Amino acid sequence: MTDMKGISRRSFLTGSAVLGGAAALAGLAGCSPAPKDTSMAETGSATEEDWLGEAPALTEADCDNVVDADVVVIGSAVAGSLSAFGALENGAKVVMLERNKIFHYGGNQGSFLNSEFQKQSGKPTYDPKEIVYHIVGNTANRCDIRQWRVWADRSGELVDTLIEKVLAPANIPFTCSPAPDEPELWLNRVFDINVVLGDPTKDNYKEFLSGMHSYLADNGADIRYNTKAEVLVQDEAGRVTGVIATAEDGSRTLFNAAKGVIVCTGSYAGNAAMVKKFQQEKVAKLLEEGNVYTMYMESDDLSSPEPMDDGIGHRMMCWAGAEMEGGPHGFLGWPNGGHIGCPNLEVDQAGMRYMNEALFPVNQVQQVVSAASMPNGAFTWEISSTEDRLMPCFIGIDPNVLDAIAKSGTGVYQADTLEELADLLGYKGAAKQNFLDSIAHYNELCYAGVDSDYGKDAPYMVPIDTAPFFGGTSSTGHSSNPMMVTMSGVITDETQNVLNKDWEPIEGLYVAGNCLGGRYGFGYSTPFAGNSVGMAMTHGWTAGHQVASDKKFLGEPVEAMEAPAGGPGGPGGPGGHH
């Protein structure tokens, strides 16, 4: 047995600038360091019925201090920081609350559409309608197309604004990610729209967000670290007028918000009860086994005694009357191990091929999770051989470098025969025969140049016929720790104003980031990397403008009409009189 080792991810990152592809490594989450804390928040008995709990019975009388502001932002990562940025652009007095000693930071690239910077860098110009059309299909029509139109119409403008006002003046780097290899051949199409904000050799947004926080503070934002929001405050009419928060020393402050509160607290993946309530059963199990919300963060940057992704923002909004979007909810995970982002052969625990491997990696995760023959969790093997043509990569990394990384991993095995490889991977009996038969059948398809099973494009059909042979883990479980965040939230109108169970706006309450519903459907399935970040930044910025601006950046919501007499369909219609 050969367990390939040698090249660390950090050493690859250090030298990756020469490839022009370092920025793309934000997508290689499965290769990142192990998380500092994978515990999930305890909410009672952690059953789905008690996910909401009771709102803390706190009032102004329980507070030691009162602070008046125009806009209060809860959460200070990309969505929160950009919410504060948008509000400041409109002259608002802004308070931003952060429960940790520092903002949460993750991977360092985002997707933005048609900015002047991208055009000047030689990147393609895309039709926003084409992009949104792909997304609607990817989400099986479970997205709110209005949220996607906001991103498509505003994200490029945001990038150019950030470059002008924040990045260039502070000498913070900004680069376009390398183009994906052969994007037209990927099953779900890969669009070249990624931008890295910050040092492209660093696999996180820490530099960018540090610069953002400095800009915000210099321009008058009151940033309160180690201050946990506890409950939203409402007046008699139900309007959200502020939030009560607790500081590190135990003192409480009422933060009044004359114009509104924007909730940007991120994922709820660290809350076991919420995960059980809203996620698919298999996904819930995987999140419990390997939640890595803080995987990019250095241990010295963590101070919050509870998980930073315990769903407090979702619950605060629901205590105030908000409605969660329907389930099952979406999640973001990356396949762990192997040639991440390359379409090599995949076989499951039963030794069977089960998918078109030319999928964007996060779409591969959806296939892995739903594979019927994986009763013990999502765990598959990626099989490749020594061949002349290395597979391309959706994120533009040099295939030779990616190949070296993949074959250096502790979960990659090498053998001189396929029978020996099957033994090394643990296949026995019928599963071993399935493994060998699957590869033989796959090779026949490769020689014919047509994937009549799953439709993978011919250029990606490379036979497994040249020794030595390699088998690498491609997993979303068994301690592989690639499950990063939940991707669903509360229902809003077209202006990101949170709605109640009757679909009426809760005045003064807005949302952005992974608390915002209507984006990804069952899972994070986009034809470009970094969209979670790009969406969070764009929606944060637009929410900040919408709340702080008298002219209403996203417009005024249209008041709903009353149902016609005779039922939803009116006279003669469904439910009406015939």
Side-chain angles (χ1 to χ4, degrees), residues 12-277:
F12 174 55
L13 285 170
T14 302
S16 61
V18 298
L19 302 174
L25 286 171
L28 300 181
C31 299
S32 289
K36 313 300 187 297
D37 180 11
T38 59
S39 62
M40 299 184 84
E42 293 296 330
T43 51
S45 60
T47 60
E48 64 179 67
E49 288 77 13
D50 64 5
W51 71 271
L52 182 57
E54 296 290 334
L58 298 174
T59 67
E60 182 175 354
D62 299 300
C63 297
D64 305 289
N65 309 287
V66 177
V67 173
D68 294 326
D70 295 321
V71 179
V72 175
V73 179
I74 306 174
S76 74
V78 287
S81 293
L82 271 296
S83 294
F85 179 64
L88 284 176
E89 284 190 297
N90 286 276
K93 182 179 180 181
V94 177
V95 171
M96 184 165 65
L97 307 179
E98 171 56 58
R99 70 191 299 174
N100 194 53
K101 67 190 291 186
I102 188 176
F103 46 79
H104 173 267
Y105 54 90
N108 74 338
Q109 67 173 317
S111 58
F112 306 94
L113 194 58
N114 298 338
S115 67
E116 290 303 315
F117 166 66
Q118 288 165 298
K119 295 174 185 176
Q120 293 169 8
S121 299
K123 293 299 183 179
T125 297
Y126 293 103
D127 181 351
K129 294 190 295 295
E130 179 188 8
I131 299 279
V132 173
Y133 172 81
H134 276 270
I135 293 299
V136 171
N138 281 3
T139 64
N141 295 297
R142 292 191 77 235
C143 69
D144 183 342
I145 196 170
R146 299 171 302 175
Q147 309 294 2
W148 279 96
R149 284 305 305 265
V150 169
W151 168 81
D153 293 340
R154 299 286 189 175
S155 61
E157 178 186 356
L158 170 59
V159 168
D160 293 330
T161 301
L162 286 173
I163 290 173
E164 176 188 352
K165 293 187 176 182
V166 181
L167 303 176
N171 293 316
I172 297 173
F174 48 94
T175 56
C176 287
S177 297
D181 293 327
E182 302 172 358
E184 70 281 357
L185 297 181
W186 289 86
L187 181 63
N188 58 331
R189 180 78 184 276
V190 181
F191 295 92
D192 183 12
I193 61 173
N194 296 94
V195 176
V196 177
L197 306 178
D199 186 346
T201 67
K202 302 287 181 63
D203 197 14
N204 61 60
Y205 257 131
K206 186 175 181 179
E207 180 185 21
F208 165 66
L209 282 175
S210 294
M212 280 299 306
H213 277 227
S214 294
Y215 175 91
L216 296 174
D218 290 344
N219 284 273
D222 180 1
I223 306 175
R224 304 289 183 104
Y225 299 103
N226 291 310
T227 302
K228 180 185 177 182
E230 302 277 4
V231 65
L232 297 169
V233 178
Q234 295 172 274
D235 63 18
E236 293 182 358
R239 177 185 176 86
V240 171
T241 59
V243 59
I244 294 175
T246 303
E248 188 176 24
D249 62 5
S251 64
R252 290 195 178 100
T253 300
L254 168 61
F255 294 93
N256 288 319
K259 293 192 173 184
V261 173
I262 308 173
V263 179
C264 306
T265 51
S267 167
Y268 64 77
N271 185 310
M274 293 186 71
V275 166
K276 289 180 180 179
K277 171 67 176 178

Side-chain angles (χ1 to χ4, degrees), residues 5 68 107 170 235 251 273 317 359 384 448 485 526 532:
K5 302 179 181 179
D68 294 326
D235 63 18
S251 64
M317 289 186 287
L359 284 167
S384 60
V485 291
T526 70
S532 174

Side-chain angles (χ1 to χ4, degrees), residues 218-359:
D218 290 344
N219 284 273
D222 180 1
I223 306 175
R224 304 289 183 104
Y225 299 103
N226 291 310
T227 302
K228 180 185 177 182
E230 302 277 4
V231 65
L232 297 169
V233 178
Q234 295 172 274
D235 63 18
E236 293 182 358
R239 177 185 176 86
V240 171
T241 59
V243 59
I244 294 175
T246 303
E248 188 176 24
D249 62 5
S251 64
R252 290 195 178 100
T253 300
L254 168 61
F255 294 93
N256 288 319
K259 293 192 173 184
V261 173
I262 308 173
V263 179
C264 306
T265 51
S267 167
Y268 64 77
N271 185 310
M274 293 186 71
V275 166
K276 289 180 180 179
K277 171 67 176 178
F278 294 109
Q279 292 288 335
Q280 302 172 56
E281 182 178 353
K282 286 186 177 182
V283 175
K285 183 175 184 292
L286 296 173
L287 285 167
E288 188 171 359
E289 290 178 351
N291 172 27
V292 291
Y293 192 63
T294 58
M295 66 181 295
Y296 289 92
M297 298 185 70
E298 300 171 11
S299 58
D300 290 344
D301 289 337
L302 298 174
S303 65
S304 175
E306 309 96 357
M308 295 176 69
D309 56 344
D310 64 358
I312 184 60
H314 296 77
R315 287 181 285 136
M316 282 194 298
M317 289 186 287
C318 289
W319 291 331
E323 182 82 354
M324 292 282 274
E325 67 179 308
H329 282 179
F331 70 98
L332 165 58
W334 288 91
N336 191 46
H339 297 70
I340 298 173
C342 296
N344 290 305
L345 172 66
E346 294 272 348
V347 292
D348 64 18
Q349 293 174 347
M352 306 290 288
R353 183 182 181 219
Y354 62 96
M355 67 183 294
N356 180 328
E357 298 87 355
L359 284 167

